[in-house]
Amino acid sequence: MTGPWRRTAAFYRALALVVFAVGMGLAAGRADVVILGAPLALGLLLALLARPVRPAAMAAPRSAASVGGTLVSRSTVGVTTDLDDLADAEFATVLLPDTTARPTGSTRTVAGSQTQLKSTLDSRSWGPTMLARPDLMAAGPDGLTVAGPGAAQEVWELVLPAVHATPPLQLPPINGGWAGAHLSRRPGQGNDLVDLRDYAPGDRMRSVHWRAYARLGKLYTRRTLSDADVDLMLCLDVRSNLGPRLPVEPASLIDRMLASIVDTVRLIRDSRSERAGGPGTRERLDAEQRARYTTLDHAVHAATAIGSAQLGAGDRVGVMTVSSDRRQIRPGSGTRHLQRIRYFLANLTASSRRVTPVAYWGLRPGTVVILCSPLTDDAAAVAAADCAARGHQVLVIDTLPGEQILRAAGGNDRDHLRILTLQRELRLESLRRAGIPVLNWEAGSIELQLATMLKALRGRR
Amino acid sequence: MTLSASTTGADPAPPTGDGPSSPPAVAGWLLRGGLALAVLAVVVLTLVGGSGTGALTVAGLVLLAAGVATVVRPDSPGAVFLLLAAMAAHLMFDSAEIDVGVALLAALIAVVHQLAGICAAIPLDARVDVSALRPAALRLVVAIVVVELGIVLVTLIG
């Protein structure tokens, strides 16, 4: 049985050259020709003494990568690559998942005595992600023997979506409620002042309006509306995963060489920019990743950000998909609940199932529905309108990366996309006319968009 | 109001810093550059001092082609053709005298052979730790020094 090690051309070359030099030197009676092969012969002898070349008896080198801790998207994590059975190797080349600078990872050649390598990894995506595959090629002295290159085991990890820092949404007044971060329509102990009334025995001293007393010489009591918390249901439309057209991977050797040259030029430009205090490779790669975001990416980012912000404000947040292809997470609160939501989101995939009728969504009365959808068909818009008709407050987060899709589209697709965009605009307009705020996640600052939209709605009434 | 990670529930910022210092390293393509220089030196040294324009031109073309093949694909038979051709050309064109040229060519042949063997096992874009090359460099130096000292001794005695 043959092992993973094999003799290389270098081994046979050394033998051939030594035999040629000695043979020709002796045959021609030329000592100078024998001398030409002398350093080779001595070098070969020393190499064989350093490590014997017996491929069948040499242990197979192995490499394995491990990532510690919970992984979160858009964070840097350490990866440990263990190298085993390198006793017969003088040096080994390993593919490290060092994506901090290069998206393809970096190749490193280390001494055979090295047993562990540490590298850093920028986890830019979310969900189940292949993080590392430390392919290994080991070589004996002078490259006389090699083992590999062999494909190592892939390391897959569930990367949780990152939480974008977003302030809590200031929702319109809620019906009911006792305490919380939102306004309520119910009179009670709260911060939202309605008016002043005459002081009556039994009123709390802290509710007395002292400035009115100073001005008018009479005691007045503040009348306020109660504060409220809400049940919030993040409803994700994952029936399609639309994104910008990705550039075609270079297939031919020339294309790959050109791509490699372009990549190298970019890296040089990045390092220059970084030295001048500008954005570096990491920033460029982040921007490229953002330009490739799909509707699912936007939906997950929006849900994580809003969920985190509202849980921080004391609301109860649940998550579900419009097609109910996964069991929903009922509204809950606290940081553990946020982790539960992030695990749910990290495992989301696009599903082609139809929209479940709103009647079967299991929404409690008064639940605020936040629908994250690209709104590319009528079903999602109808569901949003149905929710509103059932008395729920509805916010729609538009998750379509429209600008990126149009920018990356080819000439033939552009006209077709423009018509689809117009149809979608009409759909969005009909939702706005029904009093449902539609916020664009790609545009950013959804809390400001919501405030502006609510102001406009109030003005219209 | 400034939003902090604790108030927004955002993940903490990734740790910054340079981390542990990395060992001294060279780029893989630098090794290939060294191999190219050694190949060029072998070709030049083999042809210098030779006589006969036609034969030298043919030998030069063969050596150059084999040299290019060695640099582009160090794992190809290019290196063995180059070094065999260099020895054969030396046998044909040069005198039997053991001089500085022979000592240099012997050292360069060993350098080309060893660099080609190492380059064949290291990708161009690899970052090569200097410690990985140290044993090979040490063996090469010992082999060359021993042979060169031998040449000097033989010359002195002879």
Side-chain angles (χ1 to χ4, degrees), chain A residues 366-381:
Chain A
T367 300
V368 175
V369 176
I370 297 186
L371 177 66
C372 300
S373 169
L375 294 161
T376 46
D377 62 358
D378 287 333

Side-chain angles (χ1 to χ4, degrees), chain B:
Chain B
M1 190 182 83
T2 315
L3 290 168
S4 67
S6 57
T7 57
T8 58
D11 295 308
T16 53
D18 295 327
S21 60
S22 51
V26 291
W29 59 266
L30 268 179
L31 290 177
R32 206 62 76 88
L35 175 63
L37 283 179
V39 164
L40 194 67
V42 165
V43 174
V44 170
L45 209 61
T46 308
L47 298 178
V48 165
S51 56
T53 318
L56 269 179
T57 310
V58 172
L61 286 174
V62 169
L63 285 170
L64 269 179
V68 170
T70 305
V71 175
V72 175
R73 289 285 305 271
D75 55 342
S76 69
V80 76
F81 283 130
L82 171 77
L83 299 180
L84 281 177
M87 284 181 179
H90 176 78
L91 189 67
M92 284 165 61
F93 299 129
D94 290 347
S95 62
E97 197 182 339
I98 299 171
D99 54 5
V100 181
V102 173
L104 266 177
L105 191 60
L108 281 170
I109 285 174
V111 169
V112 168
H113 162 70
Q114 203 176 42
L115 268 177
I118 291 171
C119 285
I122 295 176
L124 268 176
D125 62 347
R127 199 163 62 89
V128 188
D129 285 7
V130 171
S131 59
L133 301 175
R134 205 167 284 142
L138 198 64
R139 277 196 305 273
L140 181 70
V141 168
V142 167
I144 290 173
V145 166
V146 166
V147 171
E148 302 297 326
L149 278 177
I151 292 172
V152 171
L153 277 177
V154 167
T155 314
L156 287 176
I157 293 165

Side-chain angles (χ1 to χ4, degrees), chain A residues 42-53 90 141-142 144, chain B residues 139:
Chain A
L42 195 55
L44 179 65
L45 186 70
L46 290 173
L48 293 177
L49 286 175
R51 278 179 180 81
V53 180
E90 190 168 277
D142 297 352
L144 299 179
Chain B
R139 277 196 305 273

